[in-house]
Amino acid sequence: MSWAIIADSSCNLRSWTPTAPDTSFITVPLTIHVGGEEFVDDAQLDVAELNRKVAAEKEASSSSCPSAGTWADALRDADDIIVITISANLSGTYESAITARNIVLDEYTREHAGVIKGKNVHVVNSRAAGGKLELMVELLDRYLAQGARTFDDAVSYIEHIEERSSVLFSLSSFENLVKNGRMPRLAGSFASKFNIRMLGTASNEGTIKIVGPTRGEKKTIRKTVEHMASSGFHGGLVYIDHVDNEQGACALRDAIVEQWPSATVRIVPCGGLCSYYAEESGLIVGYEWA
């Protein structure tokens, strides 16, 4: 029996390898459209070049989700598959993956004389982006590595993790989020006008919810740690994604470890999609509070 953990490219793991036996990890890329050019958000993307093109482009740019056919190609090989997607309220990626799941299971049933046993696909709406997906991927891998698991066990586990984890966004620019309808225009305009960072989180529906403005790195870090504590974090796995802001990510990591010495903090550069929306110096923090 083979397993696959599959995420879209809002998960910023690119060269990551699972520790669980007979388990693969696959990233399905979204696409960013800038000035008539298409940038596929895969491991070959030059993220710095994408960011330069986005900054220089005066016309509106956008992103698009993977097609159902692209998803289906990723779903055909393994026996048991868990798919983790960006929030269904931020992208059509989740619905595209559900369509692909139905296509692949129908194919399998026809090829095996009406018997579906032996092929399982579950699609999880993360209600987030970035660090929360990375956290979910790693924790699922740890779970599978502990020993024999049924598919239903894995589904119950990953749904539990999705419900008991969260994401924070610390951003200094909001232009692309506002232009693409991912953030209220009033909040984005306020933050840009006064040149302040804005701390946001994911709502229960998987949309971006504003926590509040912050001024200066120290206040941003303090407010981030305070929000993590108030939402139930007491030490565990944390992912910090950054857009050309490793220094800020390291400072936040140090503050988290000082507050919770048992925390494990991983720092990851953003890929194309998260860089596009988080913009210059943005941070995305995924953490568990189970």
Side-chain angles (χ1 to χ4, degrees), residues 153-260:
D153 287 341
V155 169
S156 295
Y157 177 78
I158 197 62
E159 290 289 355
H160 173 77
I161 292 300
E162 191 284 317
E163 292 175 359
R164 308 286 291 183
S165 56
S166 191
V167 68
L168 286 169
F169 308 89
S170 175
L171 310 181
S172 59
S173 179
F174 313 88
E175 184 175 355
N176 291 329
L177 281 169
V178 170
K179 282 182 178 178
N180 289 275
R182 268 70 173 185
M183 184 177 186
R185 183 170 296 277
L186 181 61
S189 299
F190 172 81
S192 297
K193 179 179 179 180
F194 292 98
N195 193 29
I196 59 175
R197 293 186 77 89
M198 190 73 77
L199 191 65
T201 188
S203 68
N204 290 334
E205 296 75 29
T207 57
I208 296 176
K209 180 173 70 174
I210 301 303
V211 174
T214 60
R215 286 187 179 274
E217 182 179 274
K218 290 184 179 179
K219 290 183 179 179
T220 297
I221 289 172
R222 184 174 69 248
K223 194 159 189 173
T224 300
V225 170
E226 288 173 353
H227 187 84
M228 292 173 68
S230 68
S231 62
F233 183 74
H234 51 77
L237 183 61
V238 181
Y239 269 88
I240 304 175
D241 302 341
H242 69 91
V243 184
D244 196 25
N245 188 13
E246 186 171 3
Q247 181 177 351
C250 289
L252 177 56
R253 175 200 60 198
D254 293 345
I256 291 170
V257 173
E258 181 179 3
Q259 179 80 6
W260 298 283

Side-chain angles (χ1 to χ4, degrees), residues 117-145:
K117 185 178 180 180
K119 182 76 171 181
N120 299 291
V121 182
H122 181 70
V123 183
V124 185
N125 171 16
S126 74
R127 297 184 296 166
K132 182 176 176 180
L133 278 79
E134 293 137 36
L135 174 114
M136 292 173 68
V137 167
E138 179 170 338
L139 291 180
L140 178 59
D141 174 55
R142 288 186 192 177
Y143 181 78
L144 295 176

